[in-house]
Amino acid sequence: MGFVVLVLLCAFTGLVFGDSKLKTCSDFRHFYNSKGFNLNGVPQTAISGEHLRVCSQDYTCCTSGMEENLLNLSRREFETQVKESGRTLQASLNGQYKSFDDYFLELLNRSEASLQTSFQTGFGPLFSQIAKAFQDLYSDLRRYYRGSSVNLEEVLNEFWARLLERLFKALNPQYIIGEEYLECVAKQSETLKPFGDTPRELKTKITRTVIAARTFAQGLVISGEAVRKVSQVSLSTECLRAVMKMTYCPHCSGVAFAKPCSNYCKNVMKGCLANQADLDSEWRNLADAMLEVVDKLSRPYSVDSVVLSLPKRIAEAILYMQDNLNTFNNKVFQACGFPTQSSKTEDQIKRGRNTAEEVSSTPGAQLERLLSDVSRMLRDMMQYWIHLPRKLCVDRESGSSEPDRCWNGMSVDRYLPEVMGDGLASQINNPEVEIDITKPDMTVRKQIMQLKIMINRLKYAINGNDVDFQDTSDDISGSGSGMCADDQCSRDTRLSATNTDKPNEYAYPSENKKVVKGRSSQNLPCVSLYLLSLVTVLLRR
C-alpha cells in the first residue's frame, strides 16, 4: 500500500512540475512574441526535444531555430548587461576626472590672474618688462599637466633664468647689457643666488604638487579606459551556451516561473567573467596608489595652497633681488667685468611691494570635498571585478527562501555544486562553463599590464619623482580619452607604456590541455589502464 502511495505521489509531482507545463505552449508563445520574434513555426503544443543543442532534449516548446534565436538574444542581453555595468563605473570615473581636471586648471587660472593683478599694483612699470616670463611659466605648467613631453624641472629652471635676465636689465638701465653678458650673469646665478632660497623651495613644492596632480588625473583616465576595454571583451561560445541554458532553457522546458538557483547563477557568471576577475589584484593596487596620491594632494602642502601661493613667493624672490641688487651687481661685475655705460638716462626702478594675498597651507573646503568624493569612489570600486558576477546575478537568481524551487540548469530542484573561486585559474572545475585556463584573454592581460604601468607611475609621483610622458601611444589615451563611450574615443594626449613587468603567472595544471568540468570520473581511464596492466602481468606469470 505504501509503495502505491509513493508511486501516486511521484506521478502527481511529475504532473505539477513536468508534463502539465508542456501540454500547451501558449505561455511560451506569448513570451517568445514579447521578445520581438515572429510566431511562425512556434509549436502550439510540446514536441520532442532531440533537435536541441543547448536545452534539455525532453519535451519542449522550442524548435532548433527558436533555440538559436534565444541563444543570440541571451548573448546580446548579457553583453549589454556587462557593458552597462562598466559604463556606470566609467561614468563615475569620468565625473571625478572632470571635477579634478576643472578644479586644477581653474587653480592655475586663478593663480595667474592673481599674479597679474598684484604685480601690476606692486611693481608698476617693471611688470611689463618681466610679464612674458610669467606667461611662459603658467603656459608650461598647463602643458605639463596635460601630459605633454615637458620636463618640469627644466621649466622651472628656465623660468628663473628668464626672470633673472629681464630683471637684471630692467634694474640696471644705466648699462648696455648684451646677450653674451647675460650668459655670464646666468653662470653666476647658481652661486650668487639672486632670488635667495625661493627657487629651490618652490621647485620642491611645485614639482611634487603638479606631478601628483597630473599622475592622479592620468590614473582616473587609465582606470576608465581599462573598464571600457575589458567590458567589451568577447564572451566565449561555452559561456554563451551556459547563459542561454540558465536564462531561456526554463522557458523552453515550461518552467519559466523558476529563477536560477543562486549558486548556479554565480558559477555561470564566474565562469563567463573569469578573465575579467583577474584584474582584481592590480585594480586594488591601483586604487590604493591613487588614494596615497590623494593624501599627497592634501598635505603637507595642499595642491591649492601651493598653486595659489605662487604670486606671493615669486614677488618675495623679486624683492629679495631688488634689496640685494648692489651686492649682486658687484659680484657679477667682478666675474663678468663692467658692462658699457648707456648714454640714455633712465630713472632707477623703485623697490616694488608684495601685494599678493597670503594663502593658507590647509586645503580649502572645495578641495576637501573633491578629494573626499574621489576617495569614496576609489574605495567603492576596489572589488568591482570580483563583485561583478554577484552583481549580475542579483536580478536573475531566486531568493534564498526557495532553495528547492529554483532552476539548476536541468530541472526545478536544489543546486548542489559548490561556488567556484574568482579568476581564471579557479574555474578548473567549474561545472557550468567549460574553460581553457591555459589561454587567458589577451585584451584583459594587456589591461593588467597597463594597470601595472600606471601603478608604478603613481608610486613615483607619491615620492615626488617625475615620470616620462609622451604625446602619442597606441595603448593608453591621455587626458579625457579614457572616458569616452565605446568607439567614440578621441585621441588626445597619450601616456607611454614603457614598463617591462611581466604579467602574473597562472597556476596552470601540469599538462597543457583543456580542462573542463571537473568530475571524479575523469580519473577512471587512468585507473582502468593501471588495472589492465596489473592483470596482464599476473596472466604472464
Side-chain angles (χ1 to χ4, degrees):
M1 182 65 181
F3 177 75
V4 173
V5 172
L6 182 62
V7 170
L8 289 174
L9 285 173
C10 290
F12 178 75
T13 303
L15 287 173
V16 172
F17 293 108
D19 292 346
S20 66
K21 291 290 182 181
L22 296 177
K23 284 183 179 179
T24 174
C25 292
S26 58
D27 289 345
F28 176 79
R29 287 169 61 86
H30 178 73
F31 158 78
Y32 191 69
N33 188 240
S34 71
K35 291 294 183 179
F37 297 115
N38 193 294
L39 291 179
N40 291 338
V42 179
Q44 296 284 350
T45 58
I47 59 176
S48 177
E50 66 270 4
H51 54 276
L52 299 180
R53 296 183 297 110
V54 179
C55 297
S56 170
Q57 295 186 337
D58 291 335
Y59 280 94
T60 181
C61 288
C62 287
T63 64
S64 57
M66 294 162 61
E67 184 186 50
E68 186 68 24
N69 288 340
L70 291 175
L71 181 66
N72 291 332
L73 176 63
S74 64
R75 180 189 69 245
R76 292 194 300 272
E77 289 178 340
F78 184 55
E79 288 179 344
T80 299
Q81 197 177 11
V82 173
K83 288 179 182 178
E84 285 301 323
S85 178
R87 285 193 186 101
T88 300
L89 176 56
Q90 194 179 343
S92 180
L93 289 163
N94 186 17
Q96 296 298 342
Y97 164 77
K98 188 176 187 308
S99 295
F100 182 81
D101 185 62
D102 290 346
Y103 181 81
F104 187 77
L105 291 176
E106 179 59 23
L107 275 183
L108 289 175
N109 292 340
R110 286 170 55 193
S111 179
E112 184 173 20
S114 172
L115 185 145
Q116 290 178 349
T117 302
S118 61
F119 275 47
Q120 285 174 348
T121 303
F123 292 93
L126 177 62
F127 175 69
S128 62
Q129 300 183 52
I130 58 178
K132 184 64 167 60
F134 304 133
Q135 294 171 7
D136 291 343
L137 171 64
Y138 282 95
S139 176
D140 287 338
L141 289 177
R142 290 188 188 91
R143 288 177 56 229
Y144 176 86
Y145 169 73
R146 282 300 192 192
S148 296
S149 183
V150 176
N151 186 302
L152 187 55
E153 190 169 320
E154 289 180 2
V155 163
L156 294 173
N157 290 339
E158 183 67 18
F159 164 70
W160 292 111
R162 290 174 183 171
L163 185 60
L164 176 61
E165 289 179 0
R166 287 167 170 75
L167 274 177
F168 189 77
K169 291 181 70 173
L171 297 176
N172 291 287
Q174 68 273 30
Y175 299 112
I176 298 175
I177 301 172
E179 292 299 322
E180 290 186 6
Y181 196 87
L182 287 176
E183 289 180 9
C184 182
V185 173
K187 291 177 182 178
Q188 314 306 315
S189 62
E190 186 172 344
T191 55
L192 299 182
K193 294 184 177 180
F195 300 113
D197 287 331
T198 299
R200 179 184 58 81
E201 293 172 358
L202 266 187
K203 180 186 290 186
T204 300
K205 290 181 181 180
I206 288 294
T207 53
R208 284 182 176 273
T209 298
V210 182
I211 287 171
R214 179 176 77 165
T215 312
F216 180 72
Q218 289 286 342
L220 291 171
V221 171
I222 297 313
S223 302
E225 185 73 354
V227 173
R228 184 181 70 84
K229 289 186 176 181
V230 173
S231 296
Q232 293 177 347
V233 168
S234 298
L235 304 171
S236 69
T237 300
E238 292 302 327
C239 162
L240 295 174
R241 287 171 63 88
V243 173
M244 163 65 182
K245 186 177 179 181
M246 178 178 69
T247 307
Y248 291 124
C249 284
H251 292 271
C252 290
S253 299
V255 288
F257 66 89
K259 288 188 175 183
C261 300
S262 178
N263 288 349
Y264 171 47
C265 183
K266 288 182 177 65
N267 276 341
V268 171
M269 294 301 176
K270 288 198 176 200
C272 285
L273 301 171
N275 281 286
Q276 287 86 336
D278 280 336
L279 267 80
D280 177 62
S281 177
E282 299 308 330
W283 188 254
R284 284 186 286 107
N285 290 340
L286 178 71
D288 283 334
M290 292 183 70
L291 284 170
E292 288 190 62
V293 176
V294 167
D295 191 54
K296 290 293 181 182
L297 292 171
S298 60
R299 62 178 188 180
Y301 302 100
S302 66
V303 58
D304 48 6
S305 68
V306 170
V307 175
L308 294 177
S309 65
L310 265 176
K312 190 168 188 64
R313 298 309 310 278
I314 293 173
E316 289 173 356
I318 295 173
L319 292 176
Y320 181 91
M321 182 172 177
Q322 281 190 291
D323 291 341
N324 296 277
L325 183 62
N326 290 335
T327 302
F328 181 72
N329 280 351
N330 291 335
K331 292 182 178 180
V332 167
F333 296 161
Q334 289 177 11
C336 304
F338 279 88
T340 306
Q341 287 282 137
S342 174
S343 58
K344 297 180 181 179
T345 57
E346 297 184 28
D347 294 335
Q348 191 76 22
I349 292 178
K350 295 180 180 180
R351 185 185 187 278
R353 291 180 295 114
N354 191 348
T355 60
E357 63 177 305
E358 187 71 43
V359 180
S360 172
S361 61
T362 58
Q366 185 180 355
L367 177 63
E368 281 191 332
R369 185 170 58 253
L370 174 63
L371 296 181
S372 176
D373 290 345
V374 173
S375 297
R376 184 166 51 253
M377 181 210 65
L378 291 171
R379 292 189 177 93
D380 289 344
M381 80 175 198
M382 274 192 178
Q383 294 184 302
Y384 174 79
W385 297 108
I386 59 173
H387 282 176
L388 184 57
R390 185 173 65 187
K391 177 182 177 183
L392 297 183
C393 279
V394 168
D395 295 329
R396 295 171 177 264
E397 63 189 20
S398 64
S400 57
S401 61
E402 298 181 317
D404 299 320
R405 297 265 300 172
C406 56
W407 176 253
N408 64 12
M410 297 297 294
S411 62
V412 179
D413 202 351
R414 185 180 295 269
Y415 184 75
L416 298 178
E418 64 180 6
V419 178
M420 298 293 102
D422 302 304
L424 189 61
S426 297
Q427 308 310 309
I428 186 171
N429 290 321
N430 192 317
E432 309 308 332
V433 186
E434 298 181 3
I435 301 176
D436 186 350
I437 67 170
T438 66
K439 295 180 180 178
D441 184 89
M442 288 298 102
T443 298
V444 175
R445 299 305 297 171
K446 190 172 184 180
Q447 291 309 305
I448 291 174
M449 288 297 298
Q450 303 297 5
L451 294 181
K452 285 178 176 284
I453 293 168
M454 195 65 240
I455 290 165
N456 285 340
R457 288 176 170 165
L458 287 164
K459 288 180 177 178
Y460 275 114
I462 290 167
N463 296 321
N465 296 322
D466 202 354
V467 286
D468 293 326
F469 281 76
Q470 62 183 37
D471 288 340
T472 57
S473 169
D474 292 334
D475 296 331
I476 304 182
S477 300
S479 301
S481 60
M483 302 305 175
C484 51
D486 296 344
D487 298 326
Q488 298 177 350
C489 289
S490 61
R491 292 182 175 268
D492 254 351
T493 308
R494 309 278 181 169
L495 177 61
S496 63
T498 55
N499 186 282
T500 57
D501 288 355
K502 294 182 179 179
N504 292 330
E505 298 274 337
Y506 281 106
Y508 294 147
S510 57
E511 295 181 355
N512 259 343
K513 66 177 183 178
K514 187 174 183 179
V515 182
V516 296
K517 302 175 184 178
R519 310 281 188 186
S520 59
S521 60
Q522 288 177 332
N523 296 324
L524 290 178
C526 296
V527 175
S528 301
L529 289 174
Y530 174 76
L531 291 174
L532 183 60
S533 302
L534 183 60
V535 170
T536 303
V537 172
L538 292 173
L539 288 175
R540 284 180 180 175
R541 289 184 178 180

